[in-house]
Amino acid sequence: MSEKAKLIQEMLELQKKFIDYEHKHGVTAHDYYAADESHELYQYRERYAELADKVNTLAHEEAGSHRFY
């Protein structure tokens, strides 16, 4: 499995955990943006964004294109 595929798999697992949590407990803005270390969603948003950025970078490398920000 390629690195990009592994990252996407981890993203899908994170999404599933988030959706399961949301269905069981609901999600507040605090849960999503500022959960403390004991919370199941602690650093969810940051980790997901990190993975998405890595996938984006790998996709650009594969395509031979450049990211412009």
Side-chain angles (χ1 to χ4, degrees):
M1 182 182 293
S2 72
E3 180 182 2
K4 187 173 74 171
K6 289 177 185 176
L7 295 172
I8 291 170
Q9 184 62 40
E10 186 176 345
M11 291 173 71
L12 292 171
E13 290 169 11
L14 282 172
Q15 285 178 338
K16 183 181 180 330
K17 288 179 184 179
F18 180 89
I19 291 167
D20 289 345
Y21 183 89
E22 181 182 30
H23 286 167
K24 290 178 186 173
H25 309 285
V27 175
T28 66
H30 184 270
D31 294 338
Y32 187 74
Y33 290 103
D36 64 35
E37 290 182 29
S38 65
H39 198 284
E40 247 182 273
L41 297 179
Y42 177 66
Q43 292 187 330
Y44 167 83
R45 188 173 55 89
E46 292 87 353
R47 180 64 181 150
Y48 194 86
E50 177 185 314
L51 292 169
D53 187 54
K54 287 180 183 179
V55 168
N56 188 9
T57 299
L58 291 171
H60 278 283
E61 288 173 2
E62 287 175 6
S65 61
H66 300 283
R67 294 173 33 174
F68 298 100
Y69 291 61

